[in-house]
Amino acid sequence: MTAPANAANLHVILTSARDREFLDSWAELEAIGATPDGGVERQAASAEDGQMRVWFSQWLRDRGFTVEVDRIGNLFGLLEFRPGAPYVLVGSHLDSQPRGGRFDGAYGVLAGAVAADRIRRQAAESSETPAYNIAVVDWFNEEGSRFKPSLMGSAVFTGASDLEDTLSITDDDGVTVRDALTAINSIGEHDVFGTAEDARQLAAYAEIHIEQGRELEKHNVAIGLVDRTWAANKYELNVIGYQGHTGATAIDDRQDALLGASLIVVALRDIADEFGEELHTSCGQLTVLPNSPVVVPREVHMHLDLRSDNDDLLAAADAELRKRIVEAEIRAKVKVEHRKAHVWPGHHYQPQGVELARTVADDLGVSSMLVQTRAGHDSTNMKEIVPSVMLFVPSVEGISHAEAEYTADEDLCTGVDLLTESLARMLDGALDSAAAERV
Amino acid sequence: MTAPANAANLHVILTSARDREFLDSWAELEAIGATPDGGVERQAASAEDGQMRVWFSQWLRDRGFTVEVDRIGNLFGLLEFRPGAPYVLVGSHLDSQPRGGRFDGAYGVLAGAVAADRIRRQAAESSETPAYNIAVVDWFNEEGSRFKPSLMGSAVFTGASDLEDTLSITDDDGVTVRDALTAINSIGEHDVFGTAEDARQLAAYAEIHIEQGRELEKHNVAIGLVDRTWAANKYELNVIGYQGHTGATAIDDRQDALLGASLIVVALRDIADEFGEELHTSCGQLTVLPNSPVVVPREVHMHLDLRSDNDDLLAAADAELRKRIVEAEIRAKVKVEHRKAHVWPGHHYQPQGVELARTVADDLGVSSMLVQTRAGHDSTNMKEIVPSVMLFVPSVEGISHAEAEYTADEDLCTGVDLLTESLARMLDGALDSAAAERV
């Protein structure tokens, strides 16, 4: 059966050729690691992540990008306009949570790549050469589900984490980051950018992402200008009890690690209820040993986080949590070991970046508003070393890290347009003053 | 260095030849699947369980037993004194919990085998033939850690569970009981005992086990005469939430399956505290999906049990638990699915069996007392089809399902002596009146 001619015409009217180019590539991309219920599963350094990297590298090479991978598996596509000039970097991440959403991360990488490609074509048709070069990046392991912590590739890139320590981190099966990256043939021998005099330099960074919240949807606004990231305290605890028979061990004799852990999970919610909307508390990962129906658990490993945009409130919540952990130790007769803690302080993005994006939105006639990000992003790391612009597009009902995550095609395409124009201005030095201020 | 002669003499004085025979076999047995911290790991149908079955079969054959395996992997060693006569069965289980104790189950199997072997030798030296034959059994999968539920082999043997349904049960990796038994070459094609006229019949059953409690130790008594088993309600729940980002999802929007599950774990302990010593409540197994640090859990699978010797109190605790589950559903915005429930009612052992063992203890000059069992045992199933005697030996501090589980050699040997004499009298028809009463 042939589609009626008027349906094809309608499609042409509603979707510009420019949008179709992005959406066609998007359709190819989101099929990699697709789950039956509409999500994706492409955990860091999995076979699906490897498959995606092959596809994306080919996409870049087809359009004239040079593809390079650094020592922690960050994948770069470089376009050089002016040999020796610094680069503006744009990107996000192609890995996902287990049964994650299609848009989280992947949208930002393809949007960045398409934006860079548009600029390449504009430059080829123009007599003027941009002041800077441009590169697109797929950061390794933003999600942190298989290998902890999250934001791994960008943390090593910016120097927040040590390369060798990070390569030695293992997953639950004891596989190292190094071996997992080697298995998907995605580990390089050199840095792609560097601080040495003769290495490539960075001028600025940009990232676009779905909001993973409801503010834009609520206000019917197309673009979020991220001016601040929430602070996050992340904790890894081991709750140590003593293994016993669930039938035979008297309640008073029990040292029940799962009871201790459960009291902490409930305490987290009590604290969120007490402190109000400015605080998010969670336990996302909890593993019980030996996990047999008739055995009192001897040990529980758990990962918690507390997040807020208010540093004082976060400190107060942290103190309250520690008090509740001691109460859990006493009631369950267990010992809680604080194994690791990562603290990401709340920080502002450079105001020049926010202002640049707002001006571009106004010039394109696109609605925009200031938003904060509660989730961490690779730009959280990048803004510490170069002026960074972080943009959001709406995310229906704020659903994320779930298969029902959804952003409409129109919003995706508006985001690509806004990112393209912002990058074009960054290539012409729009954020030079922000960079100078940092020195 | 040579041990001083007087140390060797002391050993001879303290340990009779008869005890040494048991202890030497015990030393061989407990080495199979031994863990570095003094426990064992021989989960049902694991490689270690297979290795143990090979060792035990050889032990039996060396002493003239005929070895047969039934269709659910129960392993029998048979001694026929009187062709066509019914059998007295004795045994327990050789599988263990993950990082379990050395004595739980394995002691009862070897004690039964040694007792049967002593009776074989006595019969060979005597002019009288026992009225019944004797068989020893290693019941398949008493522990239920890898394949649920526990007491699997004896449940199929007694008809409490269906053979084909049970063979199709899978572990967490999707391996069926049938395939796991086939892999260790421990699945037979026929029943070893049966109800048909021409099949072997059973006259009675006996089992000895460590107490897994502190009553005997507290009263300094050598043998526990089990007159009653606690009732147990076991539940399998699925807590259904919705996956989300721990940073981005507002607390009010969360459907946090782990919070729901944790509220239920805490409720279990609250109920135990409220109802007192007559009730044991536990959650031994809890599995979180997707179990990633920055993802609100979408689903939790959990196994709970409630146990009591008081049926009314158990029913009241069950009602209270159901109320608390509804409260957890409301607070965490989750749905709790009741997937499976197994109910083992509390039951008395046949009083003639208790009386027989008490008389034997008195005759041997061994202290004894009535005890209840809170844990389930294969005798819990067997007493439903034949008169059954269940004996306990002391267990230091009541520790069980743990590597520190310990019973002194002297107590082990006293148990073997008492079991041997009890079996000898059962072979001469001491429980015939109990059997007749059941008809």
Side-chain angles (χ1 to χ4, degrees), chain A residues 97-99 145 212 242-243 245-248 254 270 273 280-282 285-286 291-293 295 305 331 374 401 404, chain B residues 97-98 145 212 242-243 245-248 254 270 273 280-282 285-286 291-293 295 298 305 331 374 401 404:
Chain A
Q97 289 290 336
R99 291 211 213 163
S145 52
Q212 305 176 292
Y242 193 81
Q243 192 164 319
H245 190 298
T246 62
R254 295 189 186 196
D270 290 343
D273 289 346
H280 282 184
T281 66
S282 315
Q285 186 164 351
L286 184 149
N291 218 29
S292 180
V295 180
D305 56 52
R331 180 165 188 203
R374 294 163 183 184
H401 285 187
Chain B
Q97 288 290 335
S145 51
Q212 305 176 292
Y242 192 81
Q243 192 165 318
H245 191 299
T246 62
R254 295 189 186 196
D270 290 344
D273 289 346
H280 282 184
T281 64
S282 317
Q285 185 164 351
L286 184 148
N291 216 30
S292 181
V295 179
R298 71 169 179 272
D305 55 53
R331 181 164 187 205
R374 294 165 184 182
H401 284 187

Short mmCIF file of all heavy atoms in Angstrom, two decimals, chain A residues 97-99 145 212 242-243 245-248 254 270 273 280-282 285-286 291-293 295 305 331 374 401 404, chain B residues 97-98 145 212 242-243 245-248 254 270 273 280-282 285-286 291-293 295 298 305 331 374 401 404:
data_model
loop_
_atom_site.label_atom_id
_atom_site.label_comp_id
_atom_site.label_asym_id
_atom_site.label_seq_id
_atom_site.Cartn_x
_atom_site.Cartn_y
_atom_site.Cartn_z
N GLN A 97 20.81 4.35 32.24
CA GLN A 97 20.49 3.51 33.39
C GLN A 97 19.96 2.16 32.90
O GLN A 97 19.57 2.03 31.74
CB GLN A 97 19.40 4.18 34.24
CG GLN A 97 19.89 5.40 35.01
CD GLN A 97 20.83 5.04 36.14
OE1 GLN A 97 20.82 3.93 36.66
NE2 GLN A 97 21.70 5.98 36.49
N PRO A 98 19.92 1.13 33.77
CA PRO A 98 19.19 -0.09 33.43
C PRO A 98 17.72 0.29 33.18
O PRO A 98 17.14 1.01 34.00
CB PRO A 98 19.31 -0.97 34.68
CG PRO A 98 20.33 -0.33 35.55
CD PRO A 98 20.48 1.09 35.14
N ARG A 99 17.14 -0.20 32.10
CA ARG A 99 15.79 0.19 31.70
C ARG A 99 15.58 1.69 31.84
O ARG A 99 14.62 2.15 32.48
CB ARG A 99 14.73 -0.55 32.55
CG ARG A 99 14.67 -2.02 32.24
CD ARG A 99 13.27 -2.54 32.44
NE ARG A 99 13.26 -3.91 32.91
CZ ARG A 99 12.23 -4.52 33.46
NH1 ARG A 99 11.10 -3.86 33.62
NH2 ARG A 99 12.30 -5.76 33.86
N SER A 145 25.68 3.49 37.07
CA SER A 145 24.93 2.33 37.57
C SER A 145 25.83 1.10 37.69
O SER A 145 25.82 0.42 38.70
CB SER A 145 23.74 2.04 36.65
OG SER A 145 24.14 1.94 35.30
N GLN A 212 14.22 16.56 33.23
CA GLN A 212 14.05 15.60 34.35
C GLN A 212 13.38 16.29 35.53
O GLN A 212 13.66 15.98 36.68
CB GLN A 212 15.40 15.01 34.79
CG GLN A 212 16.17 14.38 33.64
CD GLN A 212 17.54 13.88 34.04
OE1 GLN A 212 18.42 14.68 34.34
NE2 GLN A 212 17.74 12.56 34.03
N TYR A 242 24.75 -9.99 62.07
CA TYR A 242 25.27 -11.34 62.25
C TYR A 242 24.24 -12.33 61.70
O TYR A 242 23.06 -12.27 62.03
CB TYR A 242 25.57 -11.66 63.73
CG TYR A 242 26.38 -12.92 63.83
CD1 TYR A 242 27.76 -12.89 63.61
CD2 TYR A 242 25.77 -14.14 64.07
CE1 TYR A 242 28.51 -14.04 63.63
CE2 TYR A 242 26.51 -15.31 64.10
CZ TYR A 242 27.88 -15.26 63.88
OH TYR A 242 28.61 -16.41 63.89
N GLN A 243 24.74 -13.25 60.84
CA GLN A 243 23.87 -14.21 60.17
C GLN A 243 23.25 -15.18 61.17
O GLN A 243 23.91 -15.61 62.12
CB GLN A 243 24.74 -14.97 59.15
CG GLN A 243 23.97 -15.81 58.16
CD GLN A 243 24.85 -16.19 56.95
OE1 GLN A 243 25.62 -15.38 56.45
NE2 GLN A 243 24.72 -17.42 56.50
N HIS A 245 19.48 -18.03 61.93
CA HIS A 245 18.31 -18.73 61.41
C HIS A 245 17.07 -17.92 61.75
O HIS A 245 16.86 -17.57 62.90
CB HIS A 245 18.26 -20.11 62.07
CG HIS A 245 17.26 -21.04 61.46
ND1 HIS A 245 15.91 -20.79 61.45
CD2 HIS A 245 17.41 -22.23 60.84
CE1 HIS A 245 15.28 -21.80 60.85
NE2 HIS A 245 16.17 -22.69 60.47
N THR A 246 16.23 -17.63 60.74
CA THR A 246 15.04 -16.79 61.02
C THR A 246 14.03 -17.50 61.90
O THR A 246 13.24 -16.86 62.57
CB THR A 246 14.32 -16.38 59.72
OG1 THR A 246 13.84 -17.54 59.06
CG2 THR A 246 15.22 -15.59 58.79
N GLY A 247 14.03 -18.82 61.87
CA GLY A 247 13.09 -19.54 62.74
C GLY A 247 13.63 -19.63 64.15
O GLY A 247 12.91 -19.37 65.12
N ALA A 248 14.90 -19.98 64.28
CA ALA A 248 15.43 -20.37 65.59
C ALA A 248 16.00 -19.21 66.39
O ALA A 248 16.03 -19.27 67.62
CB ALA A 248 16.52 -21.43 65.38
N ARG A 254 19.03 -11.20 67.81
CA ARG A 254 19.32 -10.89 66.41
C ARG A 254 20.16 -9.63 66.24
O ARG A 254 19.98 -8.66 66.97
CB ARG A 254 18.01 -10.72 65.63
CG ARG A 254 17.26 -12.00 65.58
CD ARG A 254 16.08 -11.94 64.65
NE ARG A 254 15.33 -13.20 64.79
CZ ARG A 254 14.43 -13.63 63.93
NH1 ARG A 254 14.14 -12.92 62.87
NH2 ARG A 254 13.82 -14.77 64.15
N ASP A 270 11.60 10.22 56.31
CA ASP A 270 11.15 11.07 57.42
C ASP A 270 11.85 12.44 57.34
O ASP A 270 11.23 13.48 57.55
CB ASP A 270 11.51 10.43 58.77
CG ASP A 270 10.66 9.20 59.08
OD1 ASP A 270 9.61 9.02 58.43
OD2 ASP A 270 11.06 8.42 59.96
N ASP A 273 10.44 14.54 54.57
CA ASP A 273 9.13 15.08 54.97
C ASP A 273 9.30 16.26 55.92
O ASP A 273 8.57 17.25 55.86
CB ASP A 273 8.29 13.98 55.63
CG ASP A 273 7.81 12.94 54.62
OD1 ASP A 273 7.90 13.20 53.41
OD2 ASP A 273 7.36 11.86 55.06
N HIS A 280 15.88 16.63 48.70
CA HIS A 280 15.56 15.30 48.17
C HIS A 280 16.44 14.26 48.87
O HIS A 280 17.65 14.46 48.98
CB HIS A 280 15.83 15.23 46.66
CG HIS A 280 14.77 15.88 45.84
ND1 HIS A 280 14.77 15.87 44.47
CD2 HIS A 280 13.66 16.56 46.21
CE1 HIS A 280 13.71 16.51 44.03
NE2 HIS A 280 13.03 16.95 45.06
N THR A 281 15.84 13.17 49.31
CA THR A 281 16.60 12.09 49.95
C THR A 281 16.25 10.78 49.25
O THR A 281 15.10 10.57 48.87
CB THR A 281 16.24 11.94 51.43
OG1 THR A 281 14.88 11.52 51.53
CG2 THR A 281 16.44 13.23 52.19
N SER A 282 17.24 9.90 49.09
CA SER A 282 16.98 8.65 48.37
C SER A 282 17.94 7.55 48.80
O SER A 282 19.07 7.82 49.17
CB SER A 282 17.19 8.82 46.86
OG SER A 282 16.62 10.01 46.38
N GLN A 285 20.17 2.02 45.88
CA GLN A 285 20.81 0.70 45.77
C GLN A 285 20.97 0.10 47.16
O GLN A 285 21.46 0.74 48.09
CB GLN A 285 22.19 0.86 45.10
CG GLN A 285 22.84 -0.50 44.84
CD GLN A 285 23.99 -0.41 43.86
OE1 GLN A 285 24.22 0.62 43.24
NE2 GLN A 285 24.72 -1.49 43.72
N LEU A 286 20.54 -1.15 47.29
CA LEU A 286 20.60 -1.85 48.57
C LEU A 286 20.76 -3.33 48.26
O LEU A 286 19.94 -3.93 47.56
CB LEU A 286 19.31 -1.57 49.36
CG LEU A 286 19.20 -2.13 50.77
CD1 LEU A 286 18.35 -1.20 51.64
CD2 LEU A 286 18.60 -3.52 50.77
N ASN A 291 21.04 -13.04 51.61
CA ASN A 291 19.80 -12.95 50.83
C ASN A 291 19.16 -14.30 50.58
O ASN A 291 18.91 -14.69 49.44
CB ASN A 291 20.06 -12.22 49.49
CG ASN A 291 18.90 -11.32 49.09
OD1 ASN A 291 18.19 -10.79 49.95
ND2 ASN A 291 18.69 -11.15 47.80
N SER A 292 18.88 -15.00 51.67
CA SER A 292 18.19 -16.29 51.63
C SER A 292 16.97 -16.18 52.53
O SER A 292 17.04 -15.56 53.60
CB SER A 292 19.15 -17.37 52.13
OG SER A 292 18.52 -18.63 52.10
N PRO A 293 15.82 -16.76 52.12
CA PRO A 293 14.56 -16.49 52.84
C PRO A 293 14.60 -16.81 54.33
O PRO A 293 13.92 -16.15 55.10
CB PRO A 293 13.56 -17.42 52.13
CG PRO A 293 14.13 -17.70 50.81
CD PRO A 293 15.63 -17.63 50.96
N VAL A 295 17.28 -16.83 56.44
CA VAL A 295 18.53 -16.40 57.10
C VAL A 295 18.43 -14.92 57.48
O VAL A 295 18.15 -14.07 56.64
CB VAL A 295 19.74 -16.62 56.18
CG1 VAL A 295 21.02 -16.17 56.88
CG2 VAL A 295 19.86 -18.09 55.79
N ASP A 305 21.55 9.20 48.84
CA ASP A 305 21.91 10.59 48.54
C ASP A 305 20.96 11.59 49.16
O ASP A 305 19.79 11.32 49.37
CB ASP A 305 22.14 10.85 47.04
CG ASP A 305 20.99 10.48 46.14
OD1 ASP A 305 19.88 10.91 46.42
OD2 ASP A 305 21.22 9.78 45.15
N ARG A 331 18.82 0.01 67.65
CA ARG A 331 17.62 -0.84 67.61
C ARG A 331 17.91 -2.19 66.96
O ARG A 331 17.44 -3.22 67.44
CB ARG A 331 16.48 -0.13 66.86
CG ARG A 331 15.24 -1.02 66.84
CD ARG A 331 13.94 -0.34 66.46
NE ARG A 331 12.85 -1.30 66.67
CZ ARG A 331 11.69 -1.24 66.07
NH1 ARG A 331 11.42 -0.25 65.24
NH2 ARG A 331 10.77 -2.15 66.31
N ARG A 374 18.60 19.55 39.69
CA ARG A 374 18.74 18.73 40.90
C ARG A 374 19.62 17.52 40.59
O ARG A 374 20.30 17.01 41.45
CB ARG A 374 17.35 18.27 41.35
CG ARG A 374 16.52 19.45 41.80
CD ARG A 374 15.03 19.13 41.87
NE ARG A 374 14.33 20.35 42.25
CZ ARG A 374 13.04 20.43 42.48
NH1 ARG A 374 12.28 19.36 42.37
NH2 ARG A 374 12.48 21.57 42.82
N HIS A 401 15.01 8.47 34.10
CA HIS A 401 15.55 7.18 34.57
C HIS A 401 14.45 6.14 34.55
O HIS A 401 14.39 5.27 35.42
CB HIS A 401 16.18 7.29 35.96
CG HIS A 401 17.51 7.99 35.96
ND1 HIS A 401 18.30 8.07 37.07
CD2 HIS A 401 18.19 8.61 34.97
CE1 HIS A 401 19.41 8.74 36.76
NE2 HIS A 401 19.36 9.07 35.49
N ALA A 404 9.32 5.44 30.46
CA ALA A 404 8.28 6.35 29.98
C ALA A 404 8.80 7.78 29.77
O ALA A 404 8.04 8.66 29.37
CB ALA A 404 7.10 6.37 30.95
N GLN B 97 23.06 -23.57 53.97
CA GLN B 97 22.86 -22.18 53.58
C GLN B 97 24.16 -21.64 52.97
O GLN B 97 25.22 -22.22 53.18
CB GLN B 97 22.50 -21.33 54.82
CG GLN B 97 21.12 -21.59 55.36
CD GLN B 97 20.03 -21.06 54.45
OE1 GLN B 97 20.24 -20.14 53.66
NE2 GLN B 97 18.85 -21.68 54.52
N PRO B 98 24.09 -20.49 52.26
CA PRO B 98 25.33 -19.80 51.88
C PRO B 98 26.07 -19.42 53.16
O PRO B 98 25.45 -18.88 54.09
CB PRO B 98 24.84 -18.53 51.16
CG PRO B 98 23.39 -18.72 50.92
CD PRO B 98 22.89 -19.75 51.85
N SER B 145 17.63 -22.09 49.94
CA SER B 145 18.28 -20.80 49.63
C SER B 145 18.35 -20.58 48.13
O SER B 145 18.00 -19.51 47.64
CB SER B 145 19.67 -20.73 50.24
OG SER B 145 20.44 -21.86 49.91
N GLN B 212 19.65 -25.38 67.33
CA GLN B 212 19.47 -24.03 66.75
C GLN B 212 18.67 -23.14 67.70
O GLN B 212 17.88 -22.31 67.29
CB GLN B 212 18.75 -24.11 65.39
CG GLN B 212 19.46 -25.02 64.40
CD GLN B 212 18.71 -25.17 63.09
OE1 GLN B 212 17.63 -25.74 63.05
NE2 GLN B 212 19.27 -24.65 62.02
N TYR B 242 7.56 2.97 40.87
CA TYR B 242 7.85 3.47 39.54
C TYR B 242 9.25 4.05 39.54
O TYR B 242 9.62 4.85 40.40
CB TYR B 242 6.82 4.54 39.10
CG TYR B 242 6.95 4.82 37.64
CD1 TYR B 242 6.37 3.94 36.72
CD2 TYR B 242 7.73 5.87 37.17
CE1 TYR B 242 6.54 4.13 35.36
CE2 TYR B 242 7.90 6.07 35.81
CZ TYR B 242 7.30 5.19 34.91
OH TYR B 242 7.48 5.38 33.57
N GLN B 243 10.05 3.63 38.53
CA GLN B 243 11.44 4.04 38.43
C GLN B 243 11.56 5.54 38.16
O GLN B 243 10.78 6.09 37.38
CB GLN B 243 12.08 3.21 37.30
CG GLN B 243 13.58 3.28 37.22
CD GLN B 243 14.14 2.17 36.33
OE1 GLN B 243 13.69 1.03 36.39
NE2 GLN B 243 15.13 2.49 35.53
N HIS B 245 14.42 9.32 38.71
CA HIS B 245 15.75 9.86 39.01
C HIS B 245 15.75 10.34 40.46
O HIS B 245 14.88 11.10 40.85
CB HIS B 245 16.01 11.02 38.05
CG HIS B 245 17.41 11.52 38.05
ND1 HIS B 245 18.00 12.06 39.17
CD2 HIS B 245 18.35 11.57 37.07
CE1 HIS B 245 19.24 12.42 38.87
NE2 HIS B 245 19.47 12.13 37.60
N THR B 246 16.74 9.89 41.24
CA THR B 246 16.74 10.28 42.66
C THR B 246 17.01 11.76 42.84
O THR B 246 16.63 12.35 43.85
CB THR B 246 17.81 9.52 43.47
OG1 THR B 246 19.11 9.84 42.96
CG2 THR B 246 17.59 8.02 43.41
N GLY B 247 17.68 12.38 41.88
CA GLY B 247 17.92 13.81 42.01
C GLY B 247 16.72 14.61 41.57
O GLY B 247 16.28 15.53 42.25
N ALA B 248 16.15 14.22 40.44
CA ALA B 248 15.16 15.08 39.78
C ALA B 248 13.73 14.84 40.24
O ALA B 248 12.90 15.75 40.18
CB ALA B 248 15.26 14.89 38.27
N ARG B 254 7.19 10.54 43.96
CA ARG B 254 7.85 9.23 43.98
C ARG B 254 6.90 8.08 44.30
O ARG B 254 6.01 8.22 45.13
CB ARG B 254 8.98 9.23 45.00
CG ARG B 254 10.05 10.20 44.59
CD ARG B 254 11.27 10.08 45.46
NE ARG B 254 12.20 11.14 45.07
CZ ARG B 254 13.47 11.18 45.37
NH1 ARG B 254 14.00 10.22 46.09
NH2 ARG B 254 14.24 12.17 44.97
N ASP B 270 8.34 -4.31 64.55
CA ASP B 270 7.38 -3.71 65.48
C ASP B 270 6.39 -4.76 65.98
O ASP B 270 6.06 -4.80 67.17
CB ASP B 270 6.58 -2.59 64.77
CG ASP B 270 7.43 -1.36 64.46
OD1 ASP B 270 8.51 -1.22 65.05
OD2 ASP B 270 7.00 -0.55 63.62
N ASP B 273 8.00 -7.06 68.47
CA ASP B 273 8.13 -6.38 69.76
C ASP B 273 6.79 -6.34 70.49
O ASP B 273 6.72 -6.50 71.71
CB ASP B 273 8.66 -4.95 69.56
CG ASP B 273 10.12 -4.94 69.12
OD1 ASP B 273 10.78 -5.99 69.24
OD2 ASP B 273 10.60 -3.89 68.66
N HIS B 280 8.15 -15.02 66.19
CA HIS B 280 9.35 -14.61 65.45
C HIS B 280 8.93 -14.05 64.10
O HIS B 280 8.11 -14.66 63.41
CB HIS B 280 10.28 -15.81 65.22
CG HIS B 280 11.08 -16.18 66.42
ND1 HIS B 280 12.03 -17.16 66.42
CD2 HIS B 280 11.05 -15.68 67.69
CE1 HIS B 280 12.56 -17.27 67.61
NE2 HIS B 280 11.98 -16.40 68.41
N THR B 281 9.49 -12.89 63.73
CA THR B 281 9.20 -12.31 62.42
C THR B 281 10.51 -12.01 61.72
O THR B 281 11.48 -11.61 62.37
CB THR B 281 8.42 -10.98 62.55
OG1 THR B 281 9.26 -10.03 63.21
CG2 THR B 281 7.14 -11.15 63.34
N SER B 282 10.55 -12.20 60.41
CA SER B 282 11.81 -11.99 59.68
C SER B 282 11.55 -11.63 58.22
O SER B 282 10.56 -12.06 57.64
CB SER B 282 12.66 -13.27 59.66
OG SER B 282 12.67 -13.90 60.91
N GLN B 285 15.17 -12.21 52.68
CA GLN B 285 15.56 -11.98 51.29
C GLN B 285 14.83 -10.76 50.76
O GLN B 285 13.61 -10.65 50.88
CB GLN B 285 15.24 -13.21 50.45
CG GLN B 285 15.74 -13.08 49.01
CD GLN B 285 15.78 -14.40 48.28
OE1 GLN B 285 15.59 -15.45 48.87
NE2 GLN B 285 16.03 -14.36 46.99
N LEU B 286 15.59 -9.85 50.15
CA LEU B 286 15.02 -8.62 49.61
C LEU B 286 15.88 -8.21 48.42
O LEU B 286 17.08 -8.01 48.55
CB LEU B 286 15.01 -7.54 50.71
CG LEU B 286 14.37 -6.20 50.38
CD1 LEU B 286 13.74 -5.58 51.64
CD2 LEU B 286 15.35 -5.24 49.78
N ASN B 291 18.27 -1.30 41.21
CA ASN B 291 19.40 -1.30 42.15
C ASN B 291 20.59 -0.48 41.61
O ASN B 291 21.70 -0.99 41.50
CB ASN B 291 19.83 -2.74 42.48
CG ASN B 291 20.28 -2.87 43.94
OD1 ASN B 291 19.79 -2.13 44.81
ND2 ASN B 291 21.19 -3.78 44.21
N SER B 292 20.31 0.76 41.32
CA SER B 292 21.33 1.70 40.84
C SER B 292 21.30 2.91 41.77
O SER B 292 20.22 3.36 42.17
CB SER B 292 21.04 2.10 39.40
OG SER B 292 22.03 2.99 38.93
N PRO B 293 22.47 3.47 42.15
CA PRO B 293 22.50 4.49 43.20
C PRO B 293 21.61 5.70 42.95
O PRO B 293 21.11 6.28 43.90
CB PRO B 293 23.97 4.92 43.25
CG PRO B 293 24.74 3.82 42.63
CD PRO B 293 23.83 3.15 41.65
N VAL B 295 18.76 5.88 41.08
CA VAL B 295 17.45 5.54 40.53
C VAL B 295 16.50 5.15 41.66
O VAL B 295 16.80 4.27 42.47
CB VAL B 295 17.56 4.38 39.53
CG1 VAL B 295 16.18 4.03 38.99
CG2 VAL B 295 18.51 4.74 38.39
N ARG B 298 12.08 0.65 41.22
CA ARG B 298 10.75 0.41 40.65
C ARG B 298 10.08 -0.81 41.26
O ARG B 298 8.87 -0.94 41.22
CB ARG B 298 10.84 0.22 39.13
CG ARG B 298 11.49 -1.07 38.67
CD ARG B 298 11.30 -1.33 37.17
NE ARG B 298 11.96 -2.56 36.76
CZ ARG B 298 13.23 -2.66 36.39
NH1 ARG B 298 13.98 -1.59 36.35
NH2 ARG B 298 13.74 -3.83 36.06
N ASP B 305 8.79 -14.20 56.90
CA ASP B 305 8.12 -15.25 57.65
C ASP B 305 7.71 -14.80 59.04
O ASP B 305 8.31 -13.94 59.66
CB ASP B 305 8.91 -16.57 57.69
CG ASP B 305 10.32 -16.47 58.20
OD1 ASP B 305 10.51 -15.94 59.30
OD2 ASP B 305 11.23 -16.97 57.53
N ARG B 331 1.82 5.16 52.21
CA ARG B 331 2.90 6.14 52.43
C ARG B 331 3.87 6.17 51.25
O ARG B 331 4.30 7.24 50.82
CB ARG B 331 3.66 5.84 53.72
CG ARG B 331 4.76 6.87 53.93
CD ARG B 331 5.34 6.92 55.31
NE ARG B 331 6.25 8.06 55.39
CZ ARG B 331 7.26 8.17 56.21
NH1 ARG B 331 7.50 7.21 57.09
NH2 ARG B 331 8.04 9.23 56.19
N ARG B 374 11.44 -24.29 66.45
CA ARG B 374 10.95 -23.09 65.76
C ARG B 374 11.29 -23.17 64.28
O ARG B 374 10.60 -22.64 63.45
CB ARG B 374 11.60 -21.86 66.39
CG ARG B 374 11.13 -21.67 67.81
CD ARG B 374 12.00 -20.71 68.58
NE ARG B 374 11.51 -20.68 69.96
CZ ARG B 374 12.00 -19.90 70.92
NH1 ARG B 374 12.99 -19.09 70.65
NH2 ARG B 374 11.49 -19.92 72.12
N HIS B 401 22.74 -21.27 60.95
CA HIS B 401 22.77 -20.60 59.63
C HIS B 401 23.89 -19.57 59.65
O HIS B 401 23.76 -18.49 59.07
CB HIS B 401 21.44 -19.93 59.29
CG HIS B 401 20.40 -20.94 58.85
ND1 HIS B 401 19.18 -20.57 58.36
CD2 HIS B 401 20.41 -22.29 58.83
CE1 HIS B 401 18.47 -21.65 58.06
NE2 HIS B 401 19.21 -22.71 58.35
N ALA B 404 29.73 -19.65 62.72
CA ALA B 404 30.14 -19.92 64.10
C ALA B 404 29.29 -21.01 64.77
O ALA B 404 29.51 -21.34 65.94
CB ALA B 404 30.07 -18.64 64.92
#
